[in-house]
Amino acid sequence: NLLSGGNQQKVVIAKWMNMQPEVMMLDEPTAGLDPNERIRFRNLVSSLSEERLVLLSTHIVSDIEYIANEIWMMKDGRIVTRGSLEEIIAAMPEKVWLCHVPQREVSLLQKRYRVANIKSLQQVAELRAISAGKPCEDAILTAPTLEDVFLYYFGEKAGEEDVIL
């Protein structure tokens, strides 16, 4: 095939646009695209949504942040939360904490809490933990992101087996 994945997607969109649809449904439209193509394609989808309803199904959180005006998160066929980006983040039931812990404690915290990110520093790890209360003594409350909300609803703690990603 002579066209890149992003250009193939653009050709399909151009064919649809010729039909002037009022509603477009896109399922994982940027999956498999390189970062530059993903940005170009999501900008195209964003501009298309000015004149029609675009339903976007994706697990790529950055696509949602940049494209969606209203977000609906579904799990097991049920809506678990919906609203604007700001509303969904503000309504997150738990808090997000920054913790600096010795490397040897990371796996214990992962078993007890949903851990969004782990950044290894010298002898210490910095992690974002989602919890109602402080997960470690020196934890610092930090602003949640859409990725944190996604992890809250769809992520897992070590040992959890019934969560669908």
PDB file of all heavy atoms in Angstrom, residues 81-109:
ATOM      1  N   THR A  81     -19.431   7.565  34.102  1.00  0.00           N
ATOM      2  CA  THR A  81     -19.355   9.013  34.315  1.00  0.00           C
ATOM      3  C   THR A  81     -19.485   9.699  32.961  1.00  0.00           C
ATOM      4  O   THR A  81     -19.188   9.103  31.932  1.00  0.00           O
ATOM      5  CB  THR A  81     -18.040   9.441  35.019  1.00  0.00           C
ATOM      6  OG1 THR A  81     -18.120  10.820  35.368  1.00  0.00           O
ATOM      7  CG2 THR A  81     -16.823   9.199  34.164  1.00  0.00           C
ATOM      8  N   ARG A  82     -19.955  10.924  33.004  1.00  0.00           N
ATOM      9  CA  ARG A  82     -20.053  11.707  31.778  1.00  0.00           C
ATOM     10  C   ARG A  82     -20.030  13.182  32.106  1.00  0.00           C
ATOM     11  O   ARG A  82     -20.368  13.591  33.208  1.00  0.00           O
ATOM     12  CB  ARG A  82     -21.287  11.347  30.979  1.00  0.00           C
ATOM     13  CG  ARG A  82     -22.579  11.694  31.651  1.00  0.00           C
ATOM     14  CD  ARG A  82     -23.763  11.299  30.816  1.00  0.00           C
ATOM     15  NE  ARG A  82     -24.280  12.473  30.149  1.00  0.00           N
ATOM     16  CZ  ARG A  82     -25.515  12.585  29.715  1.00  0.00           C
ATOM     17  NH1 ARG A  82     -26.343  11.590  29.812  1.00  0.00           N
ATOM     18  NH2 ARG A  82     -25.912  13.694  29.144  1.00  0.00           N
ATOM     19  N   GLY A  83     -19.603  13.979  31.141  1.00  0.00           N
ATOM     20  CA  GLY A  83     -19.547  15.425  31.311  1.00  0.00           C
ATOM     21  C   GLY A  83     -18.407  16.001  30.504  1.00  0.00           C
ATOM     22  O   GLY A  83     -17.771  15.314  29.707  1.00  0.00           O
ATOM     23  N   SER A  84     -18.126  17.268  30.729  1.00  0.00           N
ATOM     24  CA  SER A  84     -16.976  17.898  30.076  1.00  0.00           C
ATOM     25  C   SER A  84     -15.705  17.371  30.739  1.00  0.00           C
ATOM     26  O   SER A  84     -15.755  16.762  31.813  1.00  0.00           O
ATOM     27  CB  SER A  84     -17.050  19.419  30.238  1.00  0.00           C
ATOM     28  OG  SER A  84     -16.836  19.774  31.598  1.00  0.00           O
ATOM     29  N   LEU A  85     -14.588  17.629  30.126  1.00  0.00           N
ATOM     30  CA  LEU A  85     -13.300  17.223  30.693  1.00  0.00           C
ATOM     31  C   LEU A  85     -13.166  17.733  32.121  1.00  0.00           C
ATOM     32  O   LEU A  85     -12.845  16.982  33.044  1.00  0.00           O
ATOM     33  CB  LEU A  85     -12.163  17.756  29.814  1.00  0.00           C
ATOM     34  CG  LEU A  85     -10.735  17.557  30.307  1.00  0.00           C
ATOM     35  CD1 LEU A  85     -10.387  16.078  30.339  1.00  0.00           C
ATOM     36  CD2 LEU A  85      -9.756  18.320  29.433  1.00  0.00           C
ATOM     37  N   GLU A  86     -13.473  19.008  32.314  1.00  0.00           N
ATOM     38  CA  GLU A  86     -13.335  19.623  33.637  1.00  0.00           C
ATOM     39  C   GLU A  86     -14.297  18.988  34.647  1.00  0.00           C
ATOM     40  O   GLU A  86     -13.928  18.746  35.797  1.00  0.00           O
ATOM     41  CB  GLU A  86     -13.580  21.131  33.556  1.00  0.00           C
ATOM     42  CG  GLU A  86     -12.547  21.891  32.741  1.00  0.00           C
ATOM     43  CD  GLU A  86     -12.737  21.788  31.219  1.00  0.00           C
ATOM     44  OE1 GLU A  86     -13.821  21.336  30.766  1.00  0.00           O
ATOM     45  OE2 GLU A  86     -11.789  22.133  30.491  1.00  0.00           O
ATOM     46  N   GLU A  87     -15.532  18.719  34.225  1.00  0.00           N
ATOM     47  CA  GLU A  87     -16.530  18.124  35.123  1.00  0.00           C
ATOM     48  C   GLU A  87     -16.135  16.715  35.545  1.00  0.00           C
ATOM     49  O   GLU A  87     -16.254  16.355  36.719  1.00  0.00           O
ATOM     50  CB  GLU A  87     -17.908  18.089  34.451  1.00  0.00           C
ATOM     51  CG  GLU A  87     -18.523  19.453  34.270  1.00  0.00           C
ATOM     52  CD  GLU A  87     -19.733  19.445  33.332  1.00  0.00           C
ATOM     53  OE1 GLU A  87     -19.897  18.490  32.536  1.00  0.00           O
ATOM     54  OE2 GLU A  87     -20.506  20.425  33.406  1.00  0.00           O
ATOM     55  N   ILE A  88     -15.647  15.939  34.603  1.00  0.00           N
ATOM     56  CA  ILE A  88     -15.258  14.556  34.916  1.00  0.00           C
ATOM     57  C   ILE A  88     -14.078  14.535  35.877  1.00  0.00           C
ATOM     58  O   ILE A  88     -14.060  13.766  36.830  1.00  0.00           O
ATOM     59  CB  ILE A  88     -14.951  13.778  33.619  1.00  0.00           C
ATOM     60  CG1 ILE A  88     -16.262  13.453  32.923  1.00  0.00           C
ATOM     61  CG2 ILE A  88     -14.162  12.520  33.899  1.00  0.00           C
ATOM     62  CD1 ILE A  88     -16.104  12.740  31.610  1.00  0.00           C
ATOM     63  N   ILE A  89     -13.100  15.387  35.628  1.00  0.00           N
ATOM     64  CA  ILE A  89     -11.935  15.437  36.520  1.00  0.00           C
ATOM     65  C   ILE A  89     -12.358  15.909  37.914  1.00  0.00           C
ATOM     66  O   ILE A  89     -11.963  15.319  38.921  1.00  0.00           O
ATOM     67  CB  ILE A  89     -10.826  16.336  35.925  1.00  0.00           C
ATOM     68  CG1 ILE A  89     -10.205  15.640  34.707  1.00  0.00           C
ATOM     69  CG2 ILE A  89      -9.764  16.663  36.973  1.00  0.00           C
ATOM     70  CD1 ILE A  89      -9.223  16.493  33.928  1.00  0.00           C
ATOM     71  N   ALA A  90     -13.194  16.953  37.982  1.00  0.00           N
ATOM     72  CA  ALA A  90     -13.622  17.489  39.280  1.00  0.00           C
ATOM     73  C   ALA A  90     -14.469  16.487  40.059  1.00  0.00           C
ATOM     74  O   ALA A  90     -14.453  16.492  41.294  1.00  0.00           O
ATOM     75  CB  ALA A  90     -14.410  18.786  39.070  1.00  0.00           C
ATOM     76  N   ALA A  91     -15.187  15.611  39.366  1.00  0.00           N
ATOM     77  CA  ALA A  91     -16.080  14.661  40.032  1.00  0.00           C
ATOM     78  C   ALA A  91     -15.402  13.344  40.404  1.00  0.00           C
ATOM     79  O   ALA A  91     -16.052  12.450  40.950  1.00  0.00           O
ATOM     80  CB  ALA A  91     -17.284  14.377  39.129  1.00  0.00           C
ATOM     81  N   MET A  92     -14.124  13.222  40.147  1.00  0.00           N
ATOM     82  CA  MET A  92     -13.448  11.963  40.477  1.00  0.00           C
ATOM     83  C   MET A  92     -13.594  11.684  41.968  1.00  0.00           C
ATOM     84  O   MET A  92     -13.259  12.536  42.798  1.00  0.00           O
ATOM     85  CB  MET A  92     -11.976  12.026  40.094  1.00  0.00           C
ATOM     86  CG  MET A  92     -11.289  10.692  40.252  1.00  0.00           C
ATOM     87  SD  MET A  92      -9.680  10.733  39.469  1.00  0.00           S
ATOM     88  CE  MET A  92      -8.701   9.972  40.720  1.00  0.00           C
ATOM     89  N   PRO A  93     -14.105  10.512  42.324  1.00  0.00           N
ATOM     90  CA  PRO A  93     -14.397  10.213  43.733  1.00  0.00           C
ATOM     91  C   PRO A  93     -13.180  10.159  44.662  1.00  0.00           C
ATOM     92  O   PRO A  93     -13.320  10.372  45.853  1.00  0.00           O
ATOM     93  CB  PRO A  93     -15.069   8.839  43.678  1.00  0.00           C
ATOM     94  CG  PRO A  93     -15.551   8.701  42.284  1.00  0.00           C
ATOM     95  CD  PRO A  93     -14.593   9.465  41.437  1.00  0.00           C
ATOM     96  N   GLU A  94     -12.012   9.848  44.127  1.00  0.00           N
ATOM     97  CA  GLU A  94     -10.833   9.768  44.982  1.00  0.00           C
ATOM     98  C   GLU A  94      -9.836  10.854  44.613  1.00  0.00           C
ATOM     99  O   GLU A  94     -10.029  11.586  43.651  1.00  0.00           O
ATOM    100  CB  GLU A  94     -10.211   8.368  44.895  1.00  0.00           C
ATOM    101  CG  GLU A  94     -11.139   7.321  45.503  1.00  0.00           C
ATOM    102  CD  GLU A  94     -10.474   5.984  45.726  1.00  0.00           C
ATOM    103  OE1 GLU A  94      -9.274   5.835  45.443  1.00  0.00           O
ATOM    104  OE2 GLU A  94     -11.174   5.077  46.190  1.00  0.00           O
ATOM    105  N   LYS A  95      -8.777  10.950  45.393  1.00  0.00           N
ATOM    106  CA  LYS A  95      -7.763  11.984  45.196  1.00  0.00           C
ATOM    107  C   LYS A  95      -6.522  11.376  44.547  1.00  0.00           C
ATOM    108  O   LYS A  95      -6.350  10.169  44.529  1.00  0.00           O
ATOM    109  CB  LYS A  95      -7.400  12.608  46.540  1.00  0.00           C
ATOM    110  CG  LYS A  95      -8.584  13.308  47.180  1.00  0.00           C
ATOM    111  CD  LYS A  95      -8.239  13.809  48.555  1.00  0.00           C
ATOM    112  CE  LYS A  95      -9.483  14.449  49.171  1.00  0.00           C
ATOM    113  NZ  LYS A  95      -9.344  14.699  50.570  1.00  0.00           N
ATOM    114  N   VAL A  96      -5.673  12.249  44.038  1.00  0.00           N
ATOM    115  CA  VAL A  96      -4.413  11.816  43.440  1.00  0.00           C
ATOM    116  C   VAL A  96      -3.274  12.374  44.280  1.00  0.00           C
ATOM    117  O   VAL A  96      -3.267  13.556  44.629  1.00  0.00           O
ATOM    118  CB  VAL A  96      -4.291  12.289  41.976  1.00  0.00           C
ATOM    119  CG1 VAL A  96      -2.970  11.837  41.372  1.00  0.00           C
ATOM    120  CG2 VAL A  96      -5.473  11.788  41.148  1.00  0.00           C
ATOM    121  N   TRP A  97      -2.339  11.495  44.604  1.00  0.00           N
ATOM    122  CA  TRP A  97      -1.233  11.843  45.489  1.00  0.00           C
ATOM    123  C   TRP A  97       0.106  11.579  44.812  1.00  0.00           C
ATOM    124  O   TRP A  97       0.269  10.560  44.137  1.00  0.00           O
ATOM    125  CB  TRP A  97      -1.291  10.993  46.758  1.00  0.00           C
ATOM    126  CG  TRP A  97      -2.585  11.104  47.501  1.00  0.00           C
ATOM    127  CD1 TRP A  97      -3.705  10.346  47.317  1.00  0.00           C
ATOM    128  CD2 TRP A  97      -2.895  12.027  48.533  1.00  0.00           C
ATOM    129  NE1 TRP A  97      -4.689  10.746  48.184  1.00  0.00           N
ATOM    130  CE2 TRP A  97      -4.220  11.773  48.944  1.00  0.00           C
ATOM    131  CE3 TRP A  97      -2.181  13.046  49.160  1.00  0.00           C
ATOM    132  CZ2 TRP A  97      -4.845  12.494  49.949  1.00  0.00           C
ATOM    133  CZ3 TRP A  97      -2.793  13.770  50.164  1.00  0.00           C
ATOM    134  CH2 TRP A  97      -4.113  13.495  50.555  1.00  0.00           C
ATOM    135  N   LEU A  98       1.068  12.475  45.012  1.00  0.00           N
ATOM    136  CA  LEU A  98       2.444  12.243  44.596  1.00  0.00           C
ATOM    137  C   LEU A  98       3.197  11.687  45.790  1.00  0.00           C
ATOM    138  O   LEU A  98       3.153  12.270  46.883  1.00  0.00           O
ATOM    139  CB  LEU A  98       3.122  13.542  44.154  1.00  0.00           C
ATOM    140  CG  LEU A  98       2.871  14.027  42.747  1.00  0.00           C
ATOM    141  CD1 LEU A  98       3.658  15.310  42.483  1.00  0.00           C
ATOM    142  CD2 LEU A  98       3.220  12.982  41.717  1.00  0.00           C
ATOM    143  N   CYS A  99       3.851  10.576  45.577  1.00  0.00           N
ATOM    144  CA  CYS A  99       4.601   9.938  46.662  1.00  0.00           C
ATOM    145  C   CYS A  99       6.035   9.694  46.214  1.00  0.00           C
ATOM    146  O   CYS A  99       6.273   9.303  45.079  1.00  0.00           O
ATOM    147  CB  CYS A  99       3.985   8.584  47.009  1.00  0.00           C
ATOM    148  SG  CYS A  99       2.286   8.653  47.548  1.00  0.00           S
ATOM    149  N   HIS A 100       6.964   9.930  47.115  1.00  0.00           N
ATOM    150  CA  HIS A 100       8.362   9.574  46.896  1.00  0.00           C
ATOM    151  C   HIS A 100       8.678   8.477  47.905  1.00  0.00           C
ATOM    152  O   HIS A 100       8.634   8.718  49.121  1.00  0.00           O
ATOM    153  CB  HIS A 100       9.280  10.782  47.087  1.00  0.00           C
ATOM    154  CG  HIS A 100       9.098  11.807  46.016  1.00  0.00           C
ATOM    155  ND1 HIS A 100       8.196  12.835  46.110  1.00  0.00           N
ATOM    156  CD2 HIS A 100       9.698  11.925  44.802  1.00  0.00           C
ATOM    157  CE1 HIS A 100       8.249  13.557  45.009  1.00  0.00           C
ATOM    158  NE2 HIS A 100       9.142  13.031  44.202  1.00  0.00           N
ATOM    159  N   VAL A 101       8.945   7.290  47.378  1.00  0.00           N
ATOM    160  CA  VAL A 101       9.155   6.129  48.248  1.00  0.00           C
ATOM    161  C   VAL A 101      10.385   5.359  47.802  1.00  0.00           C
ATOM    162  O   VAL A 101      10.776   5.428  46.631  1.00  0.00           O
ATOM    163  CB  VAL A 101       7.927   5.187  48.229  1.00  0.00           C
ATOM    164  CG1 VAL A 101       6.685   5.886  48.767  1.00  0.00           C
ATOM    165  CG2 VAL A 101       7.667   4.636  46.850  1.00  0.00           C
ATOM    166  N   PRO A 102      10.989   4.613  48.731  1.00  0.00           N
ATOM    167  CA  PRO A 102      12.100   3.746  48.325  1.00  0.00           C
ATOM    168  C   PRO A 102      11.618   2.736  47.279  1.00  0.00           C
ATOM    169  O   PRO A 102      10.471   2.287  47.327  1.00  0.00           O
ATOM    170  CB  PRO A 102      12.490   3.041  49.625  1.00  0.00           C
ATOM    171  CG  PRO A 102      11.953   3.908  50.719  1.00  0.00           C
ATOM    172  CD  PRO A 102      10.728   4.558  50.160  1.00  0.00           C
ATOM    173  N   GLN A 103      12.488   2.374  46.359  1.00  0.00           N
ATOM    174  CA  GLN A 103      12.139   1.431  45.295  1.00  0.00           C
ATOM    175  C   GLN A 103      11.517   0.151  45.854  1.00  0.00           C
ATOM    176  O   GLN A 103      10.589  -0.403  45.267  1.00  0.00           O
ATOM    177  CB  GLN A 103      13.387   1.075  44.466  1.00  0.00           C
ATOM    178  CG  GLN A 103      13.954   2.219  43.674  1.00  0.00           C
ATOM    179  CD  GLN A 103      13.151   2.529  42.418  1.00  0.00           C
ATOM    180  OE1 GLN A 103      12.202   1.849  42.070  1.00  0.00           O
ATOM    181  NE2 GLN A 103      13.542   3.602  41.743  1.00  0.00           N
ATOM    182  N   ARG A 104      11.985  -0.316  46.992  1.00  0.00           N
ATOM    183  CA  ARG A 104      11.507  -1.578  47.562  1.00  0.00           C
ATOM    184  C   ARG A 104      10.035  -1.516  47.999  1.00  0.00           C
ATOM    185  O   ARG A 104       9.410  -2.540  48.205  1.00  0.00           O
ATOM    186  CB  ARG A 104      12.399  -2.010  48.721  1.00  0.00           C
ATOM    187  CG  ARG A 104      12.340  -1.117  49.921  1.00  0.00           C
ATOM    188  CD  ARG A 104      13.302  -1.541  51.032  1.00  0.00           C
ATOM    189  NE  ARG A 104      13.186  -0.679  52.180  1.00  0.00           N
ATOM    190  CZ  ARG A 104      13.735   0.517  52.295  1.00  0.00           C
ATOM    191  NH1 ARG A 104      14.495   0.989  51.317  1.00  0.00           N
ATOM    192  NH2 ARG A 104      13.569   1.252  53.373  1.00  0.00           N
ATOM    193  N   GLU A 105       9.482  -0.305  48.151  1.00  0.00           N
ATOM    194  CA  GLU A 105       8.088  -0.167  48.578  1.00  0.00           C
ATOM    195  C   GLU A 105       7.095  -0.021  47.417  1.00  0.00           C
ATOM    196  O   GLU A 105       5.892  -0.036  47.628  1.00  0.00           O
ATOM    197  CB  GLU A 105       7.951   1.042  49.509  1.00  0.00           C
ATOM    198  CG  GLU A 105       8.666   0.868  50.834  1.00  0.00           C
ATOM    199  CD  GLU A 105       8.542   2.083  51.736  1.00  0.00           C
ATOM    200  OE1 GLU A 105       7.619   2.899  51.529  1.00  0.00           O
ATOM    201  OE2 GLU A 105       9.383   2.218  52.646  1.00  0.00           O
ATOM    202  N   VAL A 106       7.590   0.114  46.201  1.00  0.00           N
ATOM    203  CA  VAL A 106       6.728   0.365  45.043  1.00  0.00           C
ATOM    204  C   VAL A 106       5.719  -0.760  44.843  1.00  0.00           C
ATOM    205  O   VAL A 106       4.523  -0.521  44.690  1.00  0.00           O
ATOM    206  CB  VAL A 106       7.561   0.608  43.768  1.00  0.00           C
ATOM    207  CG1 VAL A 106       6.672   0.626  42.527  1.00  0.00           C
ATOM    208  CG2 VAL A 106       8.338   1.912  43.892  1.00  0.00           C
ATOM    209  N   SER A 107       6.168  -2.012  44.859  1.00  0.00           N
ATOM    210  CA  SER A 107       5.235  -3.112  44.581  1.00  0.00           C
ATOM    211  C   SER A 107       4.162  -3.216  45.665  1.00  0.00           C
ATOM    212  O   SER A 107       3.011  -3.539  45.374  1.00  0.00           O
ATOM    213  CB  SER A 107       5.961  -4.433  44.374  1.00  0.00           C
ATOM    214  OG  SER A 107       6.267  -5.064  45.571  1.00  0.00           O
ATOM    215  N   LEU A 108       4.490  -2.902  46.901  1.00  0.00           N
ATOM    216  CA  LEU A 108       3.495  -2.913  47.978  1.00  0.00           C
ATOM    217  C   LEU A 108       2.421  -1.847  47.725  1.00  0.00           C
ATOM    218  O   LEU A 108       1.218  -2.114  47.853  1.00  0.00           O
ATOM    219  CB  LEU A 108       4.167  -2.678  49.331  1.00  0.00           C
ATOM    220  CG  LEU A 108       3.234  -2.599  50.542  1.00  0.00           C
ATOM    221  CD1 LEU A 108       2.512  -3.937  50.750  1.00  0.00           C
ATOM    222  CD2 LEU A 108       4.003  -2.215  51.785  1.00  0.00           C
ATOM    223  N   LEU A 109       2.843  -0.643  47.336  1.00  0.00           N
ATOM    224  CA  LEU A 109       1.885   0.419  47.039  1.00  0.00           C
ATOM    225  C   LEU A 109       1.030   0.064  45.825  1.00  0.00           C
ATOM    226  O   LEU A 109      -0.156   0.376  45.786  1.00  0.00           O
ATOM    227  CB  LEU A 109       2.595   1.752  46.833  1.00  0.00           C
ATOM    228  CG  LEU A 109       3.143   2.378  48.119  1.00  0.00           C
ATOM    229  CD1 LEU A 109       4.025   3.582  47.817  1.00  0.00           C
ATOM    230  CD2 LEU A 109       2.019   2.779  49.041  1.00  0.00           C
TER     231      LEU A 109
END
